[in-house]
């Protein structure tokens, strides 16, 4: 007999007798003690799967400093070093240019690295707030422990709604159905059973006696022993195989497309600048250096850092609002939601269900009905819910703990197809009863008799109509209704099963009250005002759903039930999904299908749910949203976790997502448009000027100051109006923005060239350029280049204030204090640079007093023109950012 459990294959794990499995894995009837579990964990590690996302510090460093932008900058720095320092005469060597490029690389990479580390720490901290647990037997009793703490040999109890935490050999089971979608892609649940002998199947997932990590318990109950954990599980092997196949979100794709667009544009414009300057000036080396500087100036090297900073700050802001982000890149999708689909119970309602009535068939309060319901809820071990808790609470308050006089014989667990649950109990006299509770339609389907005041009568069509009328009356009051039925001394053929739920006696109803939350109506109104359309998709019936919808302000004129969707074509379903706001009596598959259709219709869909029946829809949505007390499947399926079941928190989270997107767009659009304008101006100046409009080193220094100032944008405020509409990433909008606003800045660059060339520089240098000696010409050039350096710095920085909002800056929309402070410091440094030794080393010269008049007029007129162009742009394209 093989005793080395590490060498057992899946066939041996599945086929060996249960007693032998227990012996091999040293299973203890009372479970392990904590000390024993810790020793096993030390040997085999935590029960965690490495998805290939864990990276070493060196990997983070490499990715921070070697982005597409920094690789371009490194190439330019090398070329600049060779052409400016290595291959020139000693007296002409210049090292400052390559140093500034390296400073840009180090600054961008270091800030990006810091924010990435903070990002990981933030996600880990948030994840620790959302724990998935399993029922594990330790020291004599089952207790909920973290799935990471499960060890080989642990006894685990499974019920509907559980995520299977490890690979487990079943020791016993009852109607246990498991969804293995994550392993096989098949959506239909499969039955798993505790057997001693099996035949080897064609696939590992077909082993009837094994359940696997990543699977979900759909219905039934079971108990088993953990045989594999972590990456040694079947799911862990799959994760290893696909560890490097990272799925790109729409946010990732947007960043990638934008980066490639800017790199292509940078390369094209740099070549054009080199050719024009080489042909017009005749100095191809100087033209190459100038082209390199233009390429550096066009590179938004702070983009990775600003994006990461935005996401980290957004996650922290959302945490303050009670929202946990499990995937930082999902923040942008969160802000882009334009349709929110929500379950009804617990999301729109208070999730504090109270058993309002326990009625017999005549509609009279009945302790007999409550007693039967109490026994059903107390003894069931499957999917417990708030209605079961309400029944047990009412029973313990109104009955004399009659459970003590009964013992449990068997159970037929709940599932979402039958929508009912049965237990079989035996009293002290030996009489057995099957007690079933569930949705009224399903209870009528299995009942052949009805109990009127102790008389058992046949369930005729007339009696059925009376029952339905009674239930409809309760539903119209906003009460959820379950039916209760029983059968005395049932005789199963073998063990009790679903087929035994027949010819039952309907004895009464349970009516539950779960009123809407006080904040729900205001939250839905706020979501609608922010262009988020709210739809309800529930398994509950029409009357209850309509009652709740009317109270919270959701239109009830378009309502449809699951049975009406069965025979619809894809085209009809697309129209129904758009037109209707209330969907009732849906099964989990229908919820998922409707969410998928809404996405195919072009919507960004968020789904809010907390139950096992919501997990398919959570996965189908762009953004799955759940709560921290949801079932395991729902939490594992969700991208966003709410710390409270409150739509007001959700609305705040959506706005935080939109703010992150807006601040990212500010940097990208403002930077690319101003850089494009600078290059356009350089092209014009290069054609007509007998010298370079700005030295390469000056362009690099200008870019350094601007990029540092731009680092403040993640802390900027967004206009409330911007937050009203969902935002989607579109690289094409960046191109349009560049074409519109880039040439706008060039107009005043040209006026600066003209005034400086013909008025300001001649007044200082002693005449027009062609009439000056070499020394005077050098001063003329320095004055010209210094003028454009300062004008470019002011216009490029101040235009951030104009382009950050479609409103009038400072009057209708003010930037944050952080943005004002950092950009102001940048402008001061650049403005005083020509008067310092550093500025003189860069080739800048002190500017005359008349220049500042030119600067004032230029800046004012430029910002006015940008405001006018902005107004036309928004009118034509509908939005600015």
């Amino acid at each position: 007999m093989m005793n080395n459990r590490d060498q057992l294959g899946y066939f041996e794990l599945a086929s060996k007798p249960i007693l032998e499995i227990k012996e091999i894995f040293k299973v203890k009837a009372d479970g392990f003690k904590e000390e024993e579990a810790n020793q096993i964990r030390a040997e085999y590690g935590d029960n965690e799967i490495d998805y290939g996302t864990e990276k070493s510090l060196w990997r983070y460093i490499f990715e921070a400093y070697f982005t597409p932008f920094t690789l371009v900058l490194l190439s330019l720095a090398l070329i600049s070093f060779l052409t400016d320092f290595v291959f020139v005469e000693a007296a002409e060597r210049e090292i400052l240019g390559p140093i500034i490029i390296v400073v840009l690389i180090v600054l961008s990479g270091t800030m990006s690295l810091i924010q990435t580390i903070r990002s990981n720490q933030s996600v880990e901290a948030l994840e620790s707030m959302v724990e998935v647990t399993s029922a594990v037997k330790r020291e004599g009793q089952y207790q909920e422990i973290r799935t990471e703490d499960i060890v080989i040999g642990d006894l685990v109890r499974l019920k509907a709604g559980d995520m299977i935490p490890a690979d487990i050999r079943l020791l016993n089971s009852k109607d246990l159905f498991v969804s293995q979608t994550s392993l096989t892609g098949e959506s239909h649940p499969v039955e798993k059973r505790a057997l001693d002998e099996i035949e080897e199947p064609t696939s590992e997932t077909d082993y009837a006696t094994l359940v696997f990590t990543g699977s979900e318990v759909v219905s039934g109950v079971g108990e088993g022993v953990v045989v594999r954990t972590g990456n040694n599980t079947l799911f862990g092997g799959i994760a290893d195989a696909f560890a490097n196949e990272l799925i790109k979100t729409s946010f990732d794709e947007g960043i990638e497309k934008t980066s490639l667009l800017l790199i292509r544009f940078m390369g094209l414009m740099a070549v054009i600048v080199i050719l024009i300057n080489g042909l017009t000036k005749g100095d191809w080396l100087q033209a190459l250096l100038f082209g390199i500087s233009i390429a550096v100036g066009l590179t938004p090297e702070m983009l990775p850092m600003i994006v990461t900073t935005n996401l980290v700050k957004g996650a922290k802001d959302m945490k303050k609002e009670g929202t946990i982000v499990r995937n930082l890149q999902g923040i942008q999708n969160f802000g882009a939601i334009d349709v929110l689909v929500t379950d009804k119970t617990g999301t729109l309602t208070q999730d504090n269900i109270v058993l309002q009535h326990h009625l017999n068939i005549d509609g009279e309060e009945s302790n007999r009905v409550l007693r039967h319901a109490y026994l059903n809820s107390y003894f069931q071990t499957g999917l417990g819910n708030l209605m079961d808790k309400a029944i047990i609470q009412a029973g313990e308050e109104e009955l004399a703990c009659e459970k003590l006089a009964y013992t449990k014989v068997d159970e037929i667990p709940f599932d979402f197809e039958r929508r009912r649950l049965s237990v079989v109990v035996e009293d002290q006299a030996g009489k057995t009863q099957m007690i079933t509770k569930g949705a009224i339609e399903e209870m009528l389907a299995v009942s052949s008799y009805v109990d009127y005041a102790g008389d058992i009568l046949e369930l005729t069509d007339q009696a059925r109509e009376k029952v339905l009328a009674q239930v409809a009356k309760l539903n119209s009051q906003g009460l959820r209704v379950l039916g209760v039925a029983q059968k005395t001394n049932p005789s199963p053929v073998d063990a009790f099963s679903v087929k035994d739920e027949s010819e039952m006696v309907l004895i009464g109803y349970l009516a539950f009250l779960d009123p809407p939350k006080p904040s729900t109506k205001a939250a839905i109104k706020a979501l609608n005002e922010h262009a988020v359309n709210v739809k309800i998709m529930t398994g509950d019936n029409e009357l209850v759903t309509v009652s709740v919808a009317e109270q919270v302000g959701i239109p009830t004129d378009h309502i449809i039930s699951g049975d009406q969707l069965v025979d619809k074509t894809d085209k009809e379903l697309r129209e129904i999904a758009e037109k209707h706001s209330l969907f009732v009596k849906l099964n989990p598959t229908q919820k998922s299908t409707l969410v998928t259709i809404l996405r195919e219709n072009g919507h960004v869909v968020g789904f809010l749910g907390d139950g096992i029946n919501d997990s398919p829809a959570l996965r189908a949505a762009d953004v799955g949203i759940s709560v921290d007390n949801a079932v395991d499947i729902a939490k594992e399926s969700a991208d966003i976790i709410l710390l409270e079941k409150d739509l007001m928190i959700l609305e705040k989270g959506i706005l935080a997502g939109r703010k992150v997107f807006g601040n990212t767009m500010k940097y990208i659009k403002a930077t690319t448009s101003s850089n494009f304008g600078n290059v356009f101006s350089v092209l014009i100046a290069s054609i007509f000027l007998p010298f370079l409009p700005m030295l390469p080193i000056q362009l690099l220094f200008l870019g350094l100051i601007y990029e540092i100032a731009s680092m403040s944008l993640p802390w900027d405020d967004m206009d409330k109006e911007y937050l009203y509409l969902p935002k989607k990433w579109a690289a094409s909008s960046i191109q349009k923005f560049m074409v519109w606003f880039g040439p706008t800045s060039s107009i005043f660059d040209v006026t600066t060239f003209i005034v400086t060339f013909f008025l300001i520089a001649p007044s200082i240098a002693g005449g027009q350029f062609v009439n000056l000696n070499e020394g005077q010409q050098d001063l003329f050039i320095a004055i010209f280049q210094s003028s454009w350096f300062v004008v470019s710095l002011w216009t490029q920085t101040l235009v951030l204030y104009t382009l950050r909002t479609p409103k009038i800056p400072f009057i209708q929309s003010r930037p944050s204090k952080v943005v004002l402070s950092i950009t102001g410091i940048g402008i001061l440094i650049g403005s005083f640079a020509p008067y310092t030794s550093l500025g003189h080393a860069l080739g800048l010269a002190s500017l005359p007093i008349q220049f500042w008049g030119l600067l004032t007029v230029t800046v004012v007129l430029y910002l006015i023109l940008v405001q006018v162009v902005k107004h036309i742009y928004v009118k034509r394209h509908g939005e600015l950012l």
Side-chain angles (χ1 to χ4, degrees):
M1 181 181 69
M2 182 182 295
N3 291 315
N4 191 341
R5 57 192 179 192
D6 298 336
Q7 297 179 11
L8 291 178
Y10 275 108
F11 176 68
E12 293 167 306
L13 291 172
S15 62
K16 284 185 177 296
I18 290 175
L19 288 176
E20 189 173 337
I21 287 290
K22 287 183 175 182
E23 182 182 344
I24 292 173
F25 287 91
K26 301 177 182 178
V27 176
K28 294 188 174 182
D30 289 336
F32 293 126
K33 295 180 180 179
E34 283 303 319
E35 296 80 8
E36 294 171 322
N38 290 336
Q39 290 176 359
I40 298 172
R41 194 179 304 111
E43 181 180 356
Y44 290 93
D46 289 341
N47 181 35
E48 293 181 300
I49 294 176
D50 179 9
Y51 292 95
T53 55
E54 289 294 326
K55 301 175 183 177
S56 65
L57 178 60
W58 289 110
R59 177 75 178 272
Y60 284 122
I61 292 173
F62 179 84
E63 292 181 353
Y65 288 98
F66 295 93
T67 67
F69 293 130
T70 54
L71 288 174
V72 170
L73 290 178
L74 280 171
S75 302
L76 297 177
L78 178 61
I79 296 172
S80 177
F81 177 72
L82 294 174
T83 55
D84 227 6
F85 189 82
V86 176
F87 300 122
V88 294
E89 298 291 335
E92 299 179 2
R93 287 177 177 173
E94 176 61 65
I95 194 64
L96 197 55
I99 288 176
I100 290 180
I101 299 177
V102 171
V103 168
L104 280 170
I105 295 170
V106 172
L107 183 64
S108 172
T110 302
M111 293 301 297
S112 182
L113 176 63
I114 291 171
Q115 292 301 335
T116 300
I117 292 173
R118 287 182 178 176
S119 165
N120 294 333
Q121 292 173 342
S122 176
V123 170
E124 289 174 3
L126 293 174
E127 284 278 13
S128 67
M129 300 177 66
V130 184
E131 290 188 347
V132 176
T133 62
S134 297
V136 178
K137 200 168 192 180
R138 292 278 175 86
E139 300 184 359
Q141 61 182 0
Y142 274 99
Q143 50 189 288
E144 292 290 328
I145 69 170
R146 295 191 322 148
T147 57
E148 294 88 349
D149 295 334
I150 290 174
V151 299
I152 289 177
D154 263 332
L155 291 172
V156 179
R157 187 166 61 193
L158 303 171
K159 65 181 186 302
D162 286 345
M163 291 289 293
I164 294 174
D167 288 354
I168 294 172
R169 168 66 187 271
L170 292 174
L171 304 179
N172 57 71
S173 64
K174 179 66 176 178
D175 295 324
L176 183 65
F177 283 85
V178 172
S179 170
Q180 300 184 142
T181 304
S182 59
L183 295 171
T184 65
E186 297 293 332
S187 59
H188 298 293
V190 295
E191 186 174 10
K192 298 290 186 174
R193 292 169 291 170
L195 303 171
D196 259 350
E197 296 182 4
I198 62 167
E199 295 181 0
E200 186 167 7
T202 56
S203 170
E204 290 174 325
T205 56
D206 292 335
Y207 287 112
T209 58
L210 293 177
V211 291
F212 302 96
T213 300
S215 302
E216 309 162 1
V217 181
V218 176
S219 64
V221 293
E223 183 186 38
V225 56
V226 174
V227 293
R228 289 189 181 179
T229 58
N231 273 52
N232 292 323
T233 62
L234 184 62
F235 189 81
I238 296 173
D240 279 341
F242 295 97
N244 295 320
E245 296 187 12
L246 300 179
I247 299 174
K248 291 181 181 178
T249 65
S250 63
F251 189 83
D252 295 326
E253 291 177 352
I255 290 288
E256 185 177 285
K257 289 178 181 179
T258 300
S259 300
L260 291 175
L261 167 69
L262 297 178
I263 289 174
R264 286 197 298 267
F265 173 72
M266 176 200 67
L268 175 64
M269 296 306 293
V271 170
I272 293 175
V273 168
I274 291 171
L275 290 175
I276 290 177
N277 280 280
L279 292 172
T280 56
K281 311 296 185 297
D283 188 339
W284 286 95
L285 178 60
Q286 187 76 345
L288 175 62
L289 293 175
F290 191 64
I292 291 172
S293 303
I294 289 295
V296 173
L298 281 171
T299 304
E301 48 274 333
M302 292 298 171
L303 178 58
M305 185 279 298
I306 286 178
V307 168
T308 306
T309 303
N310 258 316
L311 294 175
V312 173
K313 186 176 183 301
K316 291 181 178 179
D317 290 343
M318 291 168 75
K319 180 187 173 185
K320 292 177 184 177
E321 301 295 349
T323 305
I324 294 177
V325 181
R326 299 186 67 203
N327 178 8
L328 288 182
Q329 275 69 25
I331 292 177
Q332 191 271 326
N333 275 345
F334 198 31
I337 290 173
D338 63 335
V339 173
L340 175 66
V341 179
T342 175
D343 189 19
K344 177 179 63 65
T345 305
T347 51
L348 303 181
T349 58
Q350 292 183 12
D351 204 14
N352 184 23
I353 294 177
V354 176
L355 180 59
Q356 196 80 353
H357 303 290
H358 37 88
L359 309 172
N360 61 23
I361 296 300
D362 290 316
E364 301 168 341
E365 295 289 338
S366 169
N367 278 348
R368 176 171 179 259
V369 173
L370 176 58
R371 181 171 62 253
H372 282 75
Y374 177 82
L375 292 170
N376 176 285
S377 294
Y378 181 83
F379 285 114
Q380 73 97 8
T381 57
L383 180 61
N385 57 43
L386 292 173
M387 286 188 286
D388 286 309
K389 292 180 181 178
I391 292 169
I392 292 172
Q393 181 178 348
E396 291 180 346
E397 291 175 355
E398 300 181 36
L399 304 175
C401 292
E402 296 179 33
K403 65 176 183 291
L404 299 178
Y406 293 85
T407 56
K408 179 180 176 181
V409 176
D410 207 343
E411 174 181 359
I412 307 172
F414 177 89
D415 66 58
F416 290 97
E417 296 298 323
R418 291 166 39 248
R419 297 205 302 167
R420 59 181 180 264
L421 160 71
S422 296
V423 297
V424 181
V425 295
E426 182 179 12
D427 65 14
Q428 293 176 336
K431 183 182 78 171
T432 60
Q433 278 184 296
M434 173 179 282
I435 304 172
T436 305
K437 76 173 189 296
I440 287 295
E441 294 85 351
E442 280 66 25
M443 296 306 300
L444 287 171
V446 298
S447 296
S448 301
Y449 307 95
V450 63
D451 187 331
Y452 281 111
D455 294 328
I456 309 301
L457 305 177
E458 185 179 352
L459 182 60
T460 62
D461 290 341
Q462 183 179 1
R464 184 184 300 271
E465 291 175 4
K466 182 178 179 180
V467 169
L468 292 174
Q470 182 80 11
V471 171
K473 181 180 178 181
L474 294 168
N475 287 158
S476 65
Q477 300 170 22
L479 298 171
R480 300 179 65 187
V481 181
L482 296 181
V484 180
Q486 67 91 28
K487 181 163 61 173
T488 303
N489 293 323
S491 302
V493 175
D494 187 7
F496 285 97
S497 64
V498 173
K499 62 187 176 186
D500 294 304
E501 295 176 329
S502 62
E503 298 185 345
M504 303 198 72
V505 180
L506 187 67
I507 64 173
Y509 326 105
L510 305 168
F512 300 87
L513 179 64
D514 187 16
K517 293 175 180 153
S519 63
T520 298
K521 187 171 184 178
I524 290 176
K525 182 180 179 182
L527 287 167
N528 290 335
E529 288 174 349
H530 290 96
V532 178
N533 185 18
V534 180
K535 297 177 183 287
I536 296 177
M537 293 186 186
T538 179
D540 214 339
N541 65 53
E542 178 176 341
L543 290 173
V544 175
T545 305
V546 168
S547 175
V548 172
E550 287 176 341
Q551 294 178 68
V552 300
I554 294 179
T556 59
D557 49 346
H558 291 98
I559 186 167
I560 192 166
S561 64
D563 55 359
Q564 294 174 280
L565 301 176
V566 175
D567 298 324
K568 300 297 182 183
T569 64
D570 290 344
K571 181 180 179 181
E572 289 173 328
L573 286 174
R574 283 195 292 270
E575 294 175 356
I576 288 170
E578 290 291 335
K579 181 180 178 181
H580 292 75
S581 298
L582 300 183
F583 299 81
V584 300
K585 296 184 68 176
L586 297 181
N587 62 41
T589 302
Q590 288 175 321
K591 287 185 182 182
S592 175
T593 300
L594 288 168
V595 167
T596 301
I597 288 172
L598 285 168
R599 290 184 64 194
E600 292 172 351
N601 285 354
H603 296 288
V604 178
V605 183
F607 185 91
L608 174 59
D610 64 347
I612 179 177
N613 57 325
D614 296 321
S615 61
L618 285 166
R619 289 197 178 99
D622 291 284
V623 184
I625 308 161
S626 193
V627 291
D628 64 342
N629 61 346
V631 299
D632 293 346
I633 295 174
K635 287 192 287 188
E636 285 295 310
S637 303
D639 305 296
I640 304 291
I641 304 291
L642 305 183
L643 296 180
E644 297 179 29
K645 279 188 180 179
D646 191 339
L647 290 184
M648 290 300 289
I649 293 178
L650 183 60
E651 185 247 356
K652 292 176 182 177
I654 289 174
L655 297 186
R658 293 178 184 178
K659 182 178 179 181
V660 168
F661 181 80
N663 280 333
T664 303
M665 283 294 102
K666 284 178 189 176
Y667 172 77
I668 293 174
K669 288 189 172 182
T671 301
T672 53
S673 62
S674 60
N675 286 349
F676 176 59
N678 286 341
V679 173
F680 198 70
S681 302
V682 166
L683 292 177
I684 296 172
S686 297
I687 295 173
F688 298 103
L689 292 176
F691 51 83
L692 292 177
M694 201 181 298
L695 293 177
I697 189 64
Q698 294 165 356
L699 277 171
L700 294 174
F701 186 61
L702 176 65
L704 177 63
I705 296 174
Y706 174 78
E707 292 294 345
I708 292 175
S710 298
M711 289 165 56
S712 64
L713 287 176
W715 285 268
D716 196 15
D717 300 321
M718 293 299 306
D719 294 335
K720 291 182 179 179
E721 292 81 0
Y722 180 86
L723 303 177
Y724 283 152
L725 296 175
K727 306 299 174 185
K728 295 182 181 179
W729 194 291
S732 59
S733 70
I734 298 172
Q735 290 177 291
K736 289 185 291 188
F737 201 92
M738 290 169 59
V739 172
W740 274 74
F741 292 98
T744 301
S745 65
S746 297
I747 295 173
F748 290 95
D749 285 336
V750 172
T751 60
T752 299
F753 294 160
I754 293 172
V755 174
T756 304
F757 189 84
F758 290 105
L759 295 177
I760 296 178
S763 69
I764 302 299
Q768 295 299 324
F769 183 78
V770 294
N771 300 322
L772 301 176
N773 59 40
E774 185 176 348
Q776 291 174 315
Q777 285 184 345
D778 290 341
L779 177 60
F780 187 104
I781 293 171
I783 294 294
F784 184 96
Q785 292 172 340
S786 300
S787 297
W788 191 41
F789 175 88
V790 176
V791 169
S792 293
L793 176 64
W794 276 73
T795 55
Q796 189 173 19
T797 305
L798 291 181
V799 81
L800 283 174
Y801 299 141
T802 305
L803 295 182
R804 62 174 290 280
T805 173
K807 298 180 178 181
I808 301 173
F810 297 104
I811 298 174
Q812 296 177 324
S813 177
R814 296 181 181 179
S816 68
K817 292 180 181 179
V818 175
V819 173
L820 280 171
S821 301
I822 295 180
T823 54
I825 292 171
I827 287 176
L828 287 175
I829 292 173
S831 299
F832 282 105
Y835 303 95
T836 65
S837 56
L838 173 63
H840 297 159
L842 296 173
L844 300 174
S846 300
L847 294 166
I849 190 67
Q850 59 263 41
F851 163 77
W852 298 101
L854 168 66
L855 175 66
T856 302
V857 173
T858 298
V859 169
V860 171
L861 293 178
Y862 172 55
L863 295 180
I864 291 173
L865 178 60
V866 171
Q867 188 68 27
V868 173
V869 174
K870 182 174 68 175
H871 177 74
I872 299 171
Y873 180 88
V874 172
K875 193 172 182 180
R876 175 168 296 188
H877 296 290
E879 64 178 5
L880 183 68
L881 298 175

